[in-house]
Amino acid sequence: MRRKHLVGVVVVIFLTWNVLMYYMLVSRNPGKVGAVSVQDQLRNLQGDIQRQLSHNSDLLQQLRKFREQKQSEKLDKEIRRTPHPIDTNSVVLPILLIACDRTTVSRSLDLLLKYNPNKKRFPIIVSQDCGHKPTADVIQRYVSEHGIQHIKHPNTTDIKLPWPQRKFQGYYKLSRHYKWALNQVFHTFNYSAVIIVEDDLDVSPDFYEYFSATFPVLHQDPSLWCVSAWNDNGKVGMVSDEADLLYRTDFFPGLGWMLEKSTWLEIGPKWPDAFWDDWMRHPDQRKGRACIRPEICRTSTFGKKGVSKGLFFEKHLKFIKLNDKFVPFTKKDLTYLQKDKYEQYFMKLVKDTPEVTVSEAMSGHKSNMKALKIIYSTKDEFKSTAKKLGIMDDFKAGVPRVAYNGVVSFMYRGQRIYLAPPSNWKGYDPKWS
């Protein structure tokens, strides 16, 4: 109402001003009207009106800026506002499944429905892009038979890109779809949190249990900004059998992840045009916050082909181990994941672990020890060691995959390895890539 009133006032001022200008021009110098041609009067009137329109345009522009500033201030207040106390053990956690043109979305939906313990607490929303009718028909079967929701991205047009970027069209469309779908979840459906999956993911039997138990930790700890079901180094042989083991990580994992509305209110307005996951890993977004991730993945991907053209699938993704045991996380005390407790415990554990060289670790001569620590001081040292031991060796904004305070934890031939920076480590270097 306030905005409509403001626009009405501007329109009235505009019309009133132009009427006054007209009468002033017509009545100007009444004794000389006959000496001035009608054409000259019209020309003068046209010039005055154009100047007034320009002035009005500037005024409207200032009003728009004022309105945007007020909206920004309102958003900042909403983000900073202390959340009302909620029952974190019963808050509704919808599953947002991002879909496009895979009819095998049925595989993902079957598992999500099979393991769903409470459809009211975990409603399933499929957001479809692409306008692919065969996929839409598959999803509609689940709407009628299981009561899931099917929403469709209204804009499936190609995005105009300069020639060098045209090959990334899929990444631009995916980012556009994510933004629209998350706005639907948080602003249209008004949920307070969401669990996001894609149409090429299998989920574990304790997928819902995992997110149910970690949501209270995420909600109560401002140093966390997501929970992920994914371990980038979670290949068979590189994880322990401790299915209940959870970590904090500075690296945004994705691939089955949860965030709260307060976080979306912060990052949604500046959402990128493409490569949204790498954008999330930038310091400007992460702001020193961490995610929770498991030792053994609660999701695995069967999507060999997608916007990444099967990148990493044959060499890495298809070897990811999906947890097959049900862990009763909601009955466990997960407060150890809170920042102060976790850093005191985890960093002491790494500090007290015997240090060896990569050659000593690979030789097996110290296999009787529970864990070993290998120090890296440079980017090249990290990459060389990672390649030898078989873990992911890349960085995003200077952060190695799964790292926390620079430490990467994984299994090598049945032994825990901590690939860690030196004790005088000063933090991540964004130039490491």
Side-chain angles (χ1 to χ4, degrees):
M1 291 297 295
R2 214 178 269 176
R3 187 182 302 173
K4 290 181 179 178
H5 179 72
L6 179 62
V7 172
V9 170
V10 171
V11 170
V12 170
I13 292 173
F14 172 76
L15 292 174
T16 303
W17 178 266
N18 282 284
V19 169
L20 288 172
M21 287 293 298
Y22 173 79
Y23 281 107
M24 286 177 65
L25 288 169
V26 170
S27 59
R28 173 186 301 175
N29 300 322
K32 299 181 181 180
V33 170
V36 181
S37 70
V38 173
Q39 186 176 3
D40 288 339
Q41 291 185 44
L42 289 174
R43 190 182 299 112
N44 293 336
L45 177 61
Q46 182 180 9
D48 287 337
I49 289 174
Q50 286 176 342
R51 284 190 291 274
Q52 185 58 38
L53 286 173
S54 176
H55 174 75
N56 290 344
S57 177
D58 292 339
L59 177 61
L60 286 171
Q61 187 66 24
Q62 291 174 12
L63 287 170
R64 287 193 194 100
K65 289 181 179 179
F66 176 76
R67 184 181 66 185
E68 290 171 359
Q69 181 181 355
K70 289 299 180 183
Q71 288 176 336
S72 178
E73 290 174 357
K74 181 180 178 182
L75 180 60
D76 287 342
K77 288 180 181 178
E78 189 171 357
I79 291 171
R80 294 192 190 101
R81 187 172 61 230
T82 302
H84 297 297
I86 61 173
D87 181 1
T88 54
N89 295 314
S90 62
V91 66
V92 176
L93 298 174
I95 310 300
L96 174 65
L97 193 158
I98 301 292
C100 183
D101 58 359
R102 286 191 179 101
T103 56
T104 51
V105 65
S106 58
R107 175 170 167 175
S108 296
L109 284 170
D110 285 342
L111 287 178
L112 286 169
L113 289 165
K114 177 181 178 180
Y115 298 130
N116 194 328
N118 186 331
K119 292 181 180 179
K120 289 186 177 180
R121 191 184 180 202
F122 302 103
I124 297 173
I125 304 168
V126 180
S127 180
Q128 186 189 0
D129 201 3
C130 307
H132 188 244
K133 189 177 185 305
T135 301
D137 291 342
V138 170
I139 297 168
Q140 279 300 312
R141 290 206 310 267
Y142 288 86
V143 173
S144 58
E145 295 174 12
H146 300 282
I148 71 166
Q149 290 179 282
H150 182 193
I151 59 177
K152 298 179 181 180
H153 189 207
N155 184 3
T156 60
T157 60
D158 283 343
I159 298 171
K160 293 182 179 180
L161 298 170
W163 177 80
Q165 277 76 47
R166 286 177 193 167
K167 61 182 177 181
F168 300 126
Q169 178 81 216
Y171 291 99
Y172 280 82
K173 286 187 174 182
L174 184 61
S175 189
R176 179 177 67 182
H177 184 195
Y178 258 85
K179 181 174 184 177
W180 179 83
L182 286 167
N183 276 329
Q184 292 298 302
V185 168
F186 289 125
H187 299 306
T188 302
F189 297 119
N190 200 30
Y191 288 115
S192 57
V194 67
I195 301 167
I196 305 154
V197 295
E198 294 188 11
D199 57 358
D200 61 347
L201 291 181
D202 289 333
V203 300
S204 67
D206 60 353
F207 174 85
Y208 292 96
E209 178 77 0
Y210 170 69
F211 283 109
S212 295
T214 52
F215 176 72
V217 186
L218 172 67
H219 180 71
Q220 294 161 12
D221 187 347
S223 71
L224 291 169
W225 72 321
C226 89
V227 176
S228 174
W230 186 257
N231 172 4
D232 278 290
N233 288 323
K235 292 192 289 188
V236 175
M238 304 194 72
V239 292
S240 73
D241 294 329
E242 300 171 277
D244 62 344
L245 189 56
L246 306 180
Y247 298 83
R248 292 173 66 101
T249 177
D250 298 320
F251 189 91
F252 171 73
L255 288 171
W257 56 291
M258 175 170 62
L259 86 160
E260 293 192 272
K261 184 176 183 177
S262 58
T263 304
W264 182 247
L265 290 173
E266 174 193 333
I267 66 176
K270 57 178 182 175
W271 192 252
D273 294 331
F275 308 107
W276 67 268
D277 47 353
D278 284 344
W279 176 85
M280 289 277 288
R281 294 162 182 150
H282 193 275
D284 288 350
Q285 280 61 252
R286 190 169 69 83
K287 297 181 179 178
R289 293 170 292 191
C291 295
I292 295 173
R293 61 96 175 170
E295 170 78 4
I296 306 175
C297 289
R298 265 58 189 186
T299 58
S300 65
T301 178
F302 58 84
K304 180 178 180 179
K305 292 184 179 179
V307 293
S308 61
K309 310 300 182 186
L311 186 66
F312 296 135
F313 186 86
E314 286 298 329
K315 292 184 178 180
H316 183 75
L317 294 177
K318 74 176 184 179
F319 299 109
I320 292 292
K321 179 179 179 179
L322 178 65
N323 180 58
D324 58 2
K325 303 172 185 176
F326 185 90
V327 177
F329 282 114
T330 54
K331 297 180 181 178
K332 294 180 176 292
D333 181 4
L334 301 185
T335 57
Y336 71 89
L337 290 166
Q338 294 171 354
K339 184 174 182 178
D340 292 343
K341 291 183 179 180
Y342 187 84
E343 290 195 347
Q344 182 178 358
Y345 154 76
F346 182 71
M347 299 314 295
K348 184 178 186 305
L349 184 65
V350 174
K351 180 181 178 182
D352 293 344
T353 299
E355 181 181 337
V356 297
T357 64
V358 63
S359 298
E360 289 173 326
M362 295 178 71
S363 70
H365 293 159
K366 297 190 177 183
S367 58
N368 60 314
M369 296 183 177
K370 184 177 180 180
L372 299 173
K373 176 174 59 182
I374 301 171
I375 300 295
Y376 69 92
S377 298
T378 66
K379 178 182 72 172
D380 291 340
E381 283 181 0
F382 179 93
K383 294 179 78 70
S384 174
T385 302
K387 286 179 179 177
K388 289 176 182 177
L389 298 176
I391 64 171
M392 300 286 278
D393 68 340
D394 61 330
F395 300 82
K396 300 293 183 180
V399 184
R401 292 180 187 265
V402 315
Y404 186 72
N405 284 353
V407 180
V408 175
S409 173
F410 59 98
M411 299 297 290
Y412 179 78
R413 296 178 183 175
Q415 191 172 35
R416 175 67 59 187
I417 302 292
Y418 297 113
L419 184 53
S423 58
N424 63 347
W425 184 67
K426 302 299 183 184
Y428 299 107
D429 184 346
K431 294 192 292 294
W432 287 22
S433 59

